[in-house]
């Protein structure tokens, strides 16, 4: 286990440091366990780490993590925030999910500089904070992007429209990582995006759009190509303290590159959740789907990318029990059906020998405890 980053976080939040700045230290932890119900099944819980998966043997690693967040207020306008996160599937080797400076330019305008969350989903900013949502994990059919942070700048503008309160956000930055599905290195050079969020009492709406004209992909055989990509999402939430209704839709578009070629199929995903609070218990039910749309123009000899489309649907039934202040116990059952049109293994080895099949039919039972401290 790598201790140095945790030690540095503790030093930064020590009384000696707090003499210079007002520093607040928070944390949260999730401890989960689960397994699939048949011997040949697997269920990947983290799109950034395919080792984070349940199989037909009880495991606590896929849903277990811990995070420590430190925020120091320098003055009325300037603050700094850092969040260290460690996952059991990575032996709690920690990384900085957040590390940014926030400056209040005006009363209703904030600027952030540094490593920030890539805010493409409704729950992007609280993705690791299991206590903030009703599920054990957000629906993986939709929350399946392996990059979650970027280095760059964002600007938030708060406004009101009648009875609606809103926030408009613009951001720009870069990020990179390895796609665990294909083992390709992916570099986003210039992500430009925007978000609008609106709230009116129990009802909230959110829409986002981001674009990068020059994504560089390097495969294991060192072949390299570029392509533009656009990502859009829309979500709606109703929560009056008893009834919970929640839905989100995303569309990933792989656009034509400078050679007029579309290198991948567009992807659409959605989920819809309904829940109802009865005292400290919240039973809930979710439907979700991920589907490739067959828009690629790439040919691999006798086959094309349109010939092996991923098509996955799931349903989840669960209950959340808020058994103490800032602590919740969750139990879920998920059934996933994989209708994907996979290539025969011999053909797949020719097309992309590094490909890992991320989905299969699976039935999963899981339990978790989320605590904020």
């Amino acid at each position: 286990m790598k201790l140095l980053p945790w030690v540095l976080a503790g030093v930064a939040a020590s009384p000696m440091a707090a003499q210079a700045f007002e520093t607040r230290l928070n944390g949260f932890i999730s401890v989960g366990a689960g397994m699939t119900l048949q011997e040949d099944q697997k269920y990947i819980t983290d799109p950034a780490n395919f080792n984070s998966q349940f199989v037909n043997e009880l495991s606590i690693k896929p849903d277990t993590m811990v995070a420590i967040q430190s925020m120091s207020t320098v003055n009325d306008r300037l603050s700094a925030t850092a969040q260290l996160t460690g996952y059991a599937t990575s032996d709690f080797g920690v990384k900085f999910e957040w590390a940014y400076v926030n400056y209040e330019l005006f009363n209703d305008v904030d600027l952030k500089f540094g490593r920030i969350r890539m805010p493409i989903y409704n729950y992007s900013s609280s993705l690791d904070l299991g206590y903030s949502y009703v599920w054990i994990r957000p629906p993986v059919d939709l929350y399946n992007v392996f990059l979650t942070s970027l280095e760059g700048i964002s600007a938030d503008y708060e406004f009101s429209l009648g009875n609606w309160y809103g926030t408009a956000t613009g951001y720009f930055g870069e990020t990179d990582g390895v796609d665990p599905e294909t083992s390709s290195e992916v570099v986003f050079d210039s992500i430009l995006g925007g978000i609008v969020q609106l709230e009116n009492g129990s009802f909230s709406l959110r829409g986002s759009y981001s674009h990068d004209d020059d994504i560089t992909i390097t495969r294991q055989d060192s072949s390299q190509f570029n392509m533009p990509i656009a990502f859009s999402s829309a979500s709606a939430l109703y929560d009056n303290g008893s009834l919970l209704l929640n839905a989100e839709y995303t569309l990933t578009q792989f656009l034509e590159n400078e050679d007029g070629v579309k290198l991948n199929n567009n992807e659409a995903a959605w989920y819809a959740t309904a829940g109802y609070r009865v005292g400290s218990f919240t039973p809930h039910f979710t439907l979700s789907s991920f589907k490739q749309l067959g828009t690629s123009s790439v040919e691999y000899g006798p086959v094309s990318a349109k010939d092996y489309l991923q098509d996955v649907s799931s349903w989840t039934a669960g209950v959340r029990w808020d058994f103490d202040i800032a602590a919740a116990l969750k139990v879920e059952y998920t059934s996933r059906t994989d209708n994907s049109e996979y290539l025969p293994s011999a053909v797949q080895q020719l097309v992309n020998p590094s490909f890992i099949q991320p989905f299969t039919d699976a039935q999963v039972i899981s339990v978790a405890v989320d605590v904020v401290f």
Side-chain angles (χ1 to χ4, degrees), residues 50-63:
F50 278 14
N51 290 324
S52 180
Q53 62 176 277
F54 287 120
V55 294
N56 188 229
E57 182 178 338
L58 187 65
S59 174
I60 67 169
K61 285 191 172 184
D63 285 326

Side-chain angles (χ1 to χ4, degrees), residues 45-215:
T45 62
D46 183 357
N49 182 4
F50 278 14
N51 290 324
S52 180
Q53 62 176 277
F54 287 120
V55 294
N56 188 229
E57 182 178 338
L58 187 65
S59 174
I60 67 169
K61 285 191 172 184
D63 285 326
T64 298
M65 57 80 62
V66 62
I68 294 177
Q69 185 180 107
S70 175
M71 189 179 84
S72 294
T73 301
V74 180
N75 55 45
D76 291 342
R77 292 186 177 275
L78 185 64
S79 65
T81 299
Q83 179 176 302
L84 288 168
T85 307
Y87 302 91
T89 50
S90 301
D91 196 25
F92 291 103
V94 299
K95 62 178 181 178
F96 281 95
E97 287 288 348
W98 294 354
Y100 64 84
V101 173
N102 187 91
Y103 183 74
E104 185 182 308
L105 187 62
F106 306 109
N107 289 337
D108 50 8
V109 177
D110 282 0
L111 302 178
K112 292 183 176 69
F113 307 86
R115 170 168 283 193
I116 57 178
R117 265 295 164 87
M118 192 157 56
I120 56 178
Y121 296 122
N122 187 36
Y123 289 97
S124 287
S125 61
S126 60
L127 186 60
D128 295 319
L129 181 55
Y131 185 80
S132 66
Y133 37 77
V134 70
W135 322 278
I136 290 178
R137 69 198 77 83
V140 296
D141 295 342
L142 185 143
Y143 281 74
N144 57 17
V145 174
F146 63 94
L147 295 171
T148 58
S149 301
L150 60 85
E151 285 72 47
I153 181 175
S154 70
D156 298 325
Y157 170 62
E158 297 180 352
F159 62 93
S160 60
L161 293 171
N163 294 326
W164 291 86
Y165 294 91
T167 303
T169 301
Y171 62 94
F172 177 81
E174 60 184 14
T175 188
D176 62 81
V178 176
D179 181 354
E181 186 174 334
T182 63
S183 298
S184 300
E185 182 180 351
V186 183
V187 178
F188 290 77
D189 289 320
S190 54
I191 305 171
L192 179 63
I195 310 159
V196 175
Q197 302 178 80
L198 297 170
E199 295 185 11
N200 186 344
S202 303
F203 191 55
S204 63
L205 298 170
R206 183 184 188 275
S208 77
Y209 179 84
S210 60
H211 185 274
D212 193 324
D213 282 325
D214 190 23
I215 296 177

Side-chain angles (χ1 to χ4, degrees), residues 52 59 63 82 142 161 233 246 312 339 346 350 364 366:
S52 180
S59 174
D63 285 326
L142 185 143
L161 293 171
S233 69
N246 191 5
V312 180
N339 296 312
L350 295 174
V364 185
S366 50

